[in-house]
Amino acid sequence: YDAMIEHGEAVEDQLAEINLALQKTQKRLEAELDDAARYVMSILPEPRSTIPYADWLLVPSTELGGDSFGYHDIDEDHLAMYLLDVCGHGVGAALLSVTVINVLRASALRGAEFRDPSSVLEALNDAFPMEKQNDMFFTIWYGVYQRSTSTLIFATGGHPPAIHIKDEGNGPRAALLSTPGRLAIGALEGMQYAARQVAIAPGDVLLLLSDGTFEIDGIGSDMLSVDRLAEFALTDHEPKAIHAWVRSFGDGGPLPDDFSLLRLRF
């Protein structure tokens, strides 16, 4: 009996040590995830205080998500803007997302003419095939605004459309900007991506977004759509207001996917 008691106490001591080690490992992993999340947020751009004014909201659904975005001057006449969404969540998706953003921001993409969205997407597709990225791919909306002509040229790779809000005298209206029929980046070798061009007038608003902003289940079989989001944005296109409205459409809790919204005001 004494031997059994002694053995039981030894087992309890071992379990306590194992539990303590697990707690230390858990705290270390949580700290590392927090560091990674802070780094992901740190590479996002500062709001712009000159035309086009820019602000944004990113609310990851987990510690690390696959959404990211940016904007930067290519030269004195051209401003690039982009938002991408890597499939999945977690460390792998975040690493790929950060890598792509840094490549775009540094204009370090072989074969790309960064004032030509078609060229950028085709070069990204060549540089990031999914078979070399742990079977991960990503969608992207990439546009270039030319100040001298007040035009925006853009291309999309499997990504939701941007929302273009403009007032033509009879009140604001929203148009969806996308290029149809193009696969996500990295999904298929040798893809070609078409571009479109639209005029931009003073007072126009452009919303770049991920599918996490509108793929929300409501009550019953109701589901939010990008068209309904665009309709709401006509009344209030402030990113925090849109986020609150999207959350109210569901159960009011955390959203099932990353919420990423980039607003540019011309």
Side-chain angles (χ1 to χ4, degrees):
Y1 175 80
D2 290 341
M4 292 177 60
I5 293 297
E6 184 176 350
H7 177 70
E9 291 175 346
V11 170
E12 289 180 355
D13 290 341
Q14 290 177 350
L15 290 174
E17 291 178 1
I18 292 172
N19 186 53
L20 181 60
L22 288 174
Q23 290 178 2
K24 290 181 178 179
T25 300
Q26 180 69 22
K27 289 181 179 180
R28 177 176 59 80
L29 291 175
E30 289 176 353
E32 291 177 356
L33 283 174
D34 288 341
D35 288 342
R38 283 193 294 270
Y39 173 71
V40 170
M41 296 298 290
S42 74
I43 70 168
L44 298 177
E46 293 291 332
R48 282 178 57 91
S49 56
T50 57
I51 297 175
Y53 306 106
D55 57 346
W56 50 264
L57 181 63
L58 170 60
V59 183
S61 60
T62 59
E63 290 87 352
L64 289 172
D67 287 10
S68 195
F69 48 81
Y71 39 83
H72 67 272
D73 286 314
I74 301 173
D75 54 39
E76 292 184 356
D77 197 29
H78 297 86
L79 175 75
M81 58 200 73
Y82 37 87
L83 190 148
L84 64 93
D85 180 2
V86 178
C87 64
H89 303 90
V91 175
L95 286 173
L96 178 54
S97 181
V98 167
T99 300
V100 176
I101 285 295
N102 283 332
V103 164
L104 292 173
R105 187 168 58 181
S107 299
L109 189 60
R110 180 180 297 177
E113 165 51 64
F114 284 89
R115 290 167 293 188
D116 177 3
S118 297
S119 171
V120 172
L121 266 59
E122 289 164 11
L124 285 172
N125 192 65
D126 291 339
F128 295 96
M130 60 183 297
E131 60 269 19
K132 294 184 179 180
Q133 306 297 328
N134 197 28
D135 289 332
M136 290 188 297
F137 57 87
F138 61 93
T139 67
I140 187 171
W141 194 103
Y142 181 94
V144 177
Y145 172 64
Q146 186 173 17
R147 295 178 175 91
S148 60
T149 60
S150 296
T151 56
L152 173 72
I153 184 171
F154 64 92
T156 59
H159 200 80
I163 299 172
H164 181 199
I165 299 173
K166 60 190 312 177
D167 193 337
E168 297 181 335
N170 298 319
R173 68 176 185 87
L176 301 182
L177 304 184
S178 66
T179 51
R182 302 302 174 192
L183 292 178
I185 304 298
L188 186 63
E189 182 181 359
M191 282 293 296
Q192 293 184 328
Y193 294 87
R196 285 183 54 201
Q197 181 172 299
V198 295
I200 299 292
D204 285 6
V205 174
L206 187 67
L207 302 177
L208 277 58
L209 45 85
S210 65
D211 56 13
T213 61
F214 62 87
E215 289 186 349
I216 312 296
D217 293 328
I219 299 174
S221 59
D222 196 13
M223 176 176 284
L224 190 59
S225 66
V226 67
D227 296 278
R228 293 175 68 174
L229 191 150
E231 183 178 352
F232 174 82
L234 291 175
T235 63
D236 193 342
H237 47 68
E238 202 277 326
K240 289 184 178 179
I242 293 177
H243 179 250
W245 177 75
V246 169
R247 286 188 61 193
S248 71
F249 185 84
D251 58 9
L255 298 177
D257 199 358
D258 300 337
F259 179 98
S260 298
L261 182 66
L262 169 58
R263 176 177 67 165
L264 296 110
R265 292 174 293 144
F266 296 85

